[in-house]
Amino acid sequence: QQPVQSPQAVILREGEDAVINCSSSKALYSVHWYRQKHGEAPVFLMILLKGGEQKGHEKISASFNEKKQQSSLYLTASQLSYSGTYFCGTEMYYGGSQGNLIFGKGTKLSVKP
Amino acid sequence: DADVTQTPRNRITKTGKRIMLECSQTKGHDRMYWYRQDPGLGLRLIYYSFDVKDINKGEISDGYSVSRQAQAKFSLSLESAIPNQTALYFCATSVGTGGRPDTQYFGPGTRLTVL
């Protein structure tokens, strides 16, 4: 049931774009994105809700394809501060939510000068 | 001041010892969580609590127990530590909006080593 993230790792030059994908084999209510910098705690970026509502970050965008049970995180004009490991957390549809997330294994993003 | 604190930040212990990790929060959130992070495996939920009287097992609760002493405090215990419990442990909190997951705020983590 753990969502699958791809790629596992990506290296960018400053100013380049990146896409991180998160897919599930189960129907999803929502997808949550977090970023963790090395040696630090994960920090919330964004929630994408079924039905299209999106809550989150100013400079990072994302999509949620409910039919395909997939979400993609778009980082444009990357900055050094974007480096870190990105996790998606999925809320699966049970017909009644347990209120918990299942996190993927993460995508490590490195932005070089 | 940090909103979610964890103590200790680092701990080395021996196989068979009982150990407690503590989490405190000043955010006034009802929901609290314990996660374990291992390299390459992401964050895995150990236990969660939606209020003081509500405690539930997560994906990997075997070998762990918890106590919710108050709204602001949630402790994780390893009854008899074993080496494969060596990991980074995170506590998290969230407001709690109906039955839906919302933004989680993570503590700084406790790095536990079991020899």
Side-chain angles (χ1 to χ4, degrees):
Chain A
Q1 292 183 336
Q2 186 177 33
V4 176
Q5 290 187 231
S6 62
Q8 291 183 325
V10 59
I11 300 174
L12 299 174
R13 292 288 182 188
E14 234 179 331
E16 292 181 339
D17 301 339
V19 179
I20 299 172
N21 300 301
C22 174
S23 63
S24 173
S25 59
K26 303 289 185 180
L28 300 177
Y29 259 145
S30 65
V31 179
H32 303 227
W33 287 96
Y34 286 77
R35 177 172 61 203
Q36 183 180 29
K37 293 185 177 289
H38 182 70
E40 299 181 6
V43 174
F44 168 77
L45 289 176
M46 187 172 301
I47 294 176
L48 299 137
L49 305 174
K50 187 177 180 180
E53 183 182 353
Q54 174 179 315
K55 298 190 283 184
H57 206 270
E58 294 181 354
K59 297 185 178 180
I60 297 174
S61 63
S63 64
F64 178 22
N65 187 324
E66 300 159 29
K67 291 183 179 180
K68 293 185 177 180
Q69 291 108 239
Q70 292 177 346
S71 177
S72 295
L73 188 70
Y74 305 97
L75 302 111
T76 56
S78 60
Q79 306 169 16
L80 295 176
S81 62
Y82 286 7
S83 292
T85 301
Y86 290 78
F87 294 98
C88 68
T90 53
E91 176 196 9
M92 286 181 285
Y93 177 75
Y94 292 101
S97 173
Q98 294 182 3
N100 291 321
L101 300 177
I102 298 179
F103 286 93
K105 293 182 179 181
T107 295
K108 185 175 182 180
L109 178 74
S110 301
V111 181
K112 308 292 185 183
Chain B
D1 290 341
D3 293 327
V4 184
T5 57
Q6 292 182 232
T7 56
R9 293 294 312 278
N10 289 282
R11 181 71 184 267
I12 300 173
T13 191
K14 295 183 178 180
T15 298
K17 294 290 187 183
R18 185 178 189 276
I19 185 168
M20 179 181 287
L21 309 182
E22 298 186 341
C23 176
S24 294
Q25 52 115 347
T26 58
K27 300 183 80 67
H29 290 171
D30 285 330
R31 296 184 178 185
M32 298 187 74
Y33 310 81
W34 276 104
Y35 290 94
R36 166 179 174 159
Q37 186 174 37
D38 298 276
L41 295 183
L43 294 155
R44 292 183 292 167
L45 183 63
I46 307 172
Y47 270 95
Y48 61 101
S49 170
F50 283 0
D51 63 44
V52 175
K53 296 181 180 180
D54 178 76
I55 292 178
N56 304 280
K57 293 181 178 180
E59 305 170 65
I60 54 165
S61 59
D62 287 349
Y64 302 95
S65 63
V66 290
S67 173
R68 185 83 184 264
Q69 300 95 324
Q71 187 206 34
K73 296 184 182 296
F74 193 35
S75 300
L76 176 72
S77 293
L78 286 68
E79 300 302 325
S80 179
I82 56 177
N84 77 359
Q85 291 177 313
T86 294
L88 183 57
Y89 290 84
F90 284 105
C91 172
T93 72
S94 67
V95 173
T97 307
R100 307 295 304 280
D102 49 16
T103 305
Q104 295 189 18
Y105 298 86
F106 286 80
T110 294
R111 186 166 296 281
L112 176 66
T113 303
V114 184
L115 301 175

